[in-house]
Amino acid sequence: MSGLNRRAALGTLGLGLAASALPFPARAAETSGEEPALEPELEIVDPHFHLRDFSDPEAPGERYLAQDFTDDIARSGHRITGSVFIECGIMYDAAGEDAVRSLGETRYVGELAQAHRESGLASGIVAKVDLRRTEGLETLLARHEEAAKGHLRGVRNSIATAPFPPLAGIHNDPILLQDTALRKGVTLLGRKGLVFESWLFHPQMDELADLAKACPDTTIVLEHLGCPLGLGPYAGKLDTTFTEWRPAMARLAQCPNVVAKIGGLGPFMGQVAGPKTTSVSLARDWKPWIETAIELFGPQRCMFESNWPANRPASTYGQIWNAFKLVTRSLSQDERAALFSSTARSIYRI
């Protein structure tokens, strides 16, 4: 797909704009390098990674392919035995109606998954499918299942929007999850054994709770703990964010079909990596959010995620997993196994 076509496709993505347009750099600031892995024998299934193919001159630095991800995993020293690709608008088909162009991405990643079976790359795929389709949705899902070569595990439709800079350029429908047609689509996912997930910001979390109640037989995945904000009017006010976020998390936790991904806790909180960034500093900053999520949902309904490479502005890949390991050292072996691998294996059938 040409750079122009990739840009045109962005209007229908979950992301809503090129990553280069986000209010932080595509890559982290230079640090002292990767840290040695803590507890390198601990098994990890990473349930949230992306690839990038926005390599045109207007989006410098946005080429991050499968080999880059496998290199980052190897460099980190952590034992990653499986991973889940989350749609991000790459390799869309250039021709055809908008609703079917995302098949190109699913096909591309499905072929990667086939080629990397032994490493567990893209053990699961969460695709972009417009669930509001009133006709042909089941057929379209079947086409994605075929394109994914047996790895389709869910669908993401995102609502992340904010009325203030620097996030005002993100164009998603904030009331999408209220759409009756979409709710019928989410219900269909449940019947097919597929999960639904949505990228959103913490003031929007009740939208997901309402959806979960309306579609009780579908597993709903909350990404990035609801993406608590530390930008715009929330800049320097994470205490305020926490007081808004925790009650919304508690309401979501009351929905037994909701599972929480713990991660993505850097860039949108206003964190940018620097020479003093370490897993210890990240663990200190993230601990209240992580411990609250585990307290509310329990380890069996939580899974750690890297959100890589989107989290590059805040840390290295290995620092993320070291930070999670530091925060959870007091938990039992079974609880940690759930958080680092078994919940993800169960939810995504890996």
Side-chain angles (χ1 to χ4, degrees):
M1 183 184 293
S2 71
L4 177 61
N5 285 334
R6 280 197 298 270
R7 294 243 175 227
L10 286 171
T12 59
L13 313 182
L15 184 59
L17 77 172
S20 60
L22 290 171
F24 36 76
R27 295 182 179 274
E30 291 298 324
T31 66
S32 57
E34 190 60 276
E35 298 179 355
L38 301 175
E39 304 173 78
E41 73 287 350
L42 181 62
E43 181 185 10
I44 297 171
V45 173
D46 185 349
H48 200 109
F49 83 94
H50 304 289
L51 298 173
R52 305 293 195 208
D53 192 36
F54 305 127
S55 54
D56 58 279
E58 295 180 20
E62 284 304 304
R63 188 170 179 83
Y64 187 86
L65 304 182
Q67 188 60 54
D68 298 309
F69 187 47
T70 56
D71 287 347
D72 280 338
I73 289 172
R75 191 178 300 114
S76 78
H78 292 279
R79 184 185 167 211
I80 313 296
T81 61
S83 58
V84 179
F85 171 84
I86 308 298
E87 65 87 16
C88 55
I90 63 167
M91 305 305 288
Y92 272 32
D93 289 337
E97 59 175 312
D98 287 347
V100 302
R101 291 172 65 195
S102 61
L103 279 163
E105 176 178 62
T106 303
R107 188 182 311 113
Y108 172 71
V109 181
E111 291 170 357
L112 286 175
Q114 286 285 88
H116 293 268
R117 275 189 179 276
E118 291 187 6
S119 70
L121 179 78
S123 316
I125 296 172
V126 174
K128 173 68 176 182
V129 181
D130 186 351
L131 294 175
R132 296 170 298 180
R133 286 177 68 97
T134 56
E135 294 183 6
L137 178 58
E138 196 155 4
T139 298
L140 182 56
L141 286 171
R143 293 179 68 184
H144 276 274
E145 288 174 330
E146 181 181 4
K149 301 187 181 301
H151 297 275
L152 186 69
R153 298 295 183 265
V155 169
R156 178 165 84 156
N157 284 188
S158 296
I159 64 169
T161 53
F164 50 81
L167 304 177
I170 300 176
H171 301 298
N172 288 308
D173 181 353
I175 60 171
L176 174 66
L177 304 189
Q178 300 174 19
D179 191 304
T180 301
L182 180 128
R183 292 185 174 195
K184 290 179 180 178
V186 172
T187 298
L188 176 62
L189 292 182
R191 293 202 300 268
K192 296 178 69 67
L194 299 171
V195 307
F196 174 80
E197 47 195 278
S198 185
W199 173 45
L200 49 81
F201 297 138
H202 82 268
Q204 302 175 292
M205 290 168 64
D206 283 339
E207 295 288 332
L208 197 66
D210 289 342
L211 177 73
K213 293 171 185 175
C215 307
D217 296 324
T218 302
T219 297
I220 309 289
V221 178
L222 171 69
E223 296 184 343
H224 317 329
L225 293 185
C227 213
L229 292 176
L231 301 172
Y234 294 98
K237 300 177 181 178
L238 284 178
D239 287 346
T240 299
T241 298
F242 191 89
T243 61
E244 296 178 4
W245 169 84
R246 193 189 189 287
M249 282 290 286
R251 289 189 288 272
L252 267 172
Q254 292 172 1
C255 303
N257 57 326
V258 176
V259 178
K261 279 182 182 175
I262 301 177
L265 291 174
F268 284 98
M269 294 174 75
Q271 293 180 326
V272 177
K276 294 183 180 180
T277 301
T278 66
S279 59
V280 173
S281 67
L282 295 173
R284 180 194 63 231
D285 293 342
W286 297 347
K287 184 176 181 178
W289 311 86
I290 293 172
E291 290 188 337
T292 298
I294 296 171
E295 172 194 346
L296 292 172
F297 281 82
Q300 303 302 325
R301 292 169 59 203
C302 290
M303 48 186 160
F304 285 128
E305 55 156 338
S306 70
N307 189 32
W308 201 254
N311 255 58
R312 283 189 298 187
S315 71
T316 67
Y317 186 76
Q319 285 173 338
I320 292 171
W321 297 110
N322 275 350
F324 293 158
K325 290 175 179 180
L326 288 171
V327 172
T328 58
R329 275 184 165 171
S330 64
L331 298 184
S332 71
Q333 182 176 344
D334 287 347
E335 289 171 328
R336 298 181 91 212
L339 291 162
F340 284 96
S341 60
S342 63
T343 298
R345 283 196 179 279
S346 175
I347 295 300
Y348 293 108
R349 295 180 281 116
I350 293 172

